[in-house]
Amino acid sequence: MSDKFGRNDLCWCGSGRKYKKCHFFIDEQIEIYRLRGYEVPHRKLLKTKQQIEGIRESGKRNIALLNFIENYVVDGVSTEEIDQLIFEKTKELGGIPADLHYEGYPKSSCISINDVVCHGIPSERVFLQDGDIVNIDVSTIYKGFFSDSSRMFCVGSVSAEKQKLVNIAKECVELGIEQVKPWTFLGDIGQAVNDHAKNNGYSVVKEIGGHGIGVQFHEDPWVGYVTKRGTGMLLVPGLVFTVEPMINMGKANIVADTSDNWAIYTVDGKPSAQWEKTVLVTETGHEVLAY
Ligand code: MF3
Ligand code: CO
């Protein structure tokens, strides 16, 4: 934060307000933490009012997309068919699927069934079956702004064991997000997630995490869920990131699919569940922008 602004200059964020009435206090606080040796966010990660409005609009479309797809998650449907519907609906809502062609990814969504932890590639050869638990992860680009969220769906009647995993994974995200408020730390989220998973006999995937989002698909910070309270990046108003822990019924170990290089599986073959929300740090706490 080397660039100093005069107190009566217009704020760097483009709000049109004087710096002293806008980001002055936040910048001062960040500087205090930085000098004490804490990891602090770069100013470019703090979203302006206009950017937040853009991400919120993108998020609304991502939410609508997940609401829309729920009716199609039934026994016998191929994951390719679901992906096609997601592609069409995203377009209809005025957006672009962020997944499509992202680093060579071939589809508009990730559909991960049972022991697939994440990044399952939709396929015309994969059919949903009664008893499956399925994560559908969608991301929208709307007017240049990105949002990202995912939910679990149960196909037909699932076992009590699987249903519990799905429910606890949802609670993990909710408990993690409850931690989000300014002048606390990113590590607080992971602590809450991991504690709740462990208390239920589950494990949390270490290698894959959430991410900053908004102006790009994947921005800093990286958001882990096996972290300690009081560690990691300082949370500051304007920061936007995803909370998306992967909760395994068995061991935390994962392995990548060697043929498609995207799908991630549990090593022990036991199921995994994930929910994802896009969250904004506000002046007083947080706002969920996509769920
Ligand atoms: N929505 C996923 C995430 O949470 C996107 C994975 S990138 C893809 O980051 F290419 F696989 F879509
Ligand atoms: Co994400």
Side-chain angles (χ1 to χ4, degrees):
M1 305 288 144
S2 55
D3 28 344
K4 284 280 175 200
F5 287 79
R7 290 168 51 82
N8 287 311
D9 291 345
L10 291 179
C11 189
W12 54 262
C13 80
S15 63
R17 289 191 295 169
K18 285 185 177 174
Y19 180 51
K20 67 179 177 192
K21 297 256 179 195
C22 194
H23 273 84
F24 175 75
F25 170 75
I26 286 176
D27 284 351
E28 289 275 300
Q29 283 295 112
I30 292 175
E31 186 61 6
I32 290 167
Y33 279 94
R34 193 184 66 79
L35 291 170
R36 288 194 208 144
Y38 289 98
E39 184 187 342
V40 300
H42 191 281
R43 181 181 286 162
K44 68 171 192 258
L45 296 178
L46 306 182
K47 272 57 182 178
T48 66
K49 238 182 135 186
Q50 287 85 347
Q51 288 171 330
I52 291 166
E53 191 43 39
I55 303 165
R56 196 182 278 121
E57 284 303 312
S58 175
K60 280 183 195 164
R61 284 152 181 88
N62 221 51
I63 293 164
L65 198 54
L66 286 170
N67 289 342
F68 157 80
I69 211 64
E70 183 170 10
N71 288 331
Y72 299 93
V73 186
V74 292
D75 178 73
V77 73
S78 75
T79 54
E80 170 68 25
E81 278 175 76
I82 294 177
D83 188 73
Q84 274 300 321
L85 289 163
I86 287 169
F87 176 80
E88 297 299 338
K89 191 71 181 178
T90 307
K91 291 275 172 186
E92 189 191 309
L93 293 166
I96 301 167
D99 286 3
L100 191 60
H101 308 312
Y102 175 77
E103 292 185 0
Y105 189 78
K107 300 287 171 179
S108 300
S109 61
C110 295
I111 305 185
S112 307
I113 308 171
N114 299 327
D115 64 326
V116 182
V117 172
C118 62
H119 304 165
I121 302 182
S123 160
E124 66 238 329
R125 286 168 292 129
V126 176
F127 298 90
L128 299 185
Q129 283 179 33
D130 191 72
D132 284 344
I133 57 168
V134 188
N135 174 273
I136 301 185
D137 189 334
V138 293
S139 309
T140 297
I141 312 172
Y142 180 71
K143 296 190 177 168
F145 295 104
F146 292 77
S147 56
D148 190 1
S149 51
S150 81
R151 296 181 197 163
M152 293 301 292
F153 299 90
C154 294
V155 185
S157 53
V158 305
S159 68
E161 244 199 329
K162 278 182 171 175
Q163 184 66 59
K164 184 182 169 197
L165 177 69
V166 167
N167 296 349
I168 299 293
K170 186 162 195 258
E171 290 172 12
C172 282
V173 170
E174 284 158 2
L175 289 167
I177 290 176
E178 267 179 33
Q179 305 296 311
V180 179
K181 45 187 164 300
W183 321 116
T184 63
F185 297 91
L186 203 59
D188 302 1
I189 301 169
Q191 178 89 57
V193 166
N194 201 24
D195 286 353
H196 193 56
K198 265 196 187 160
N199 287 341
N200 285 281
Y202 301 146
S203 63
V204 180
V205 171
K206 288 187 192 62
E207 300 87 341
I208 309 175
H211 48 93
I213 185 167
V215 179
Q216 294 171 57
F217 195 0
H218 293 112
E219 302 176 9
D220 279 340
W222 185 79
V223 187
Y225 306 104
V226 190
T227 52
K228 293 278 169 233
R229 189 168 297 287
T231 67
M233 187 183 278
L234 177 72
L235 298 184
V236 173
L239 209 50
V240 179
F241 52 84
T242 66
V243 176
E244 49 173 320
M246 284 138 266
I247 311 298
N248 292 358
M249 191 182 283
K251 297 249 157 60
N253 309 53
I254 53 170
V255 60
D257 189 308
T258 48
S259 55
D260 71 25
N261 278 318
W262 279 103
I264 305 289
Y265 293 83
T266 59
V267 168
D268 61 14
K270 292 192 178 166
S272 182
Q274 177 184 31
W275 298 76
E276 173 178 22
K277 300 190 189 196
T278 296
V279 183
L280 162 73
V281 183
T282 63
E283 304 267 334
T284 52
H286 60 262
E287 179 186 336
V288 174
L289 300 176
Y291 56 84

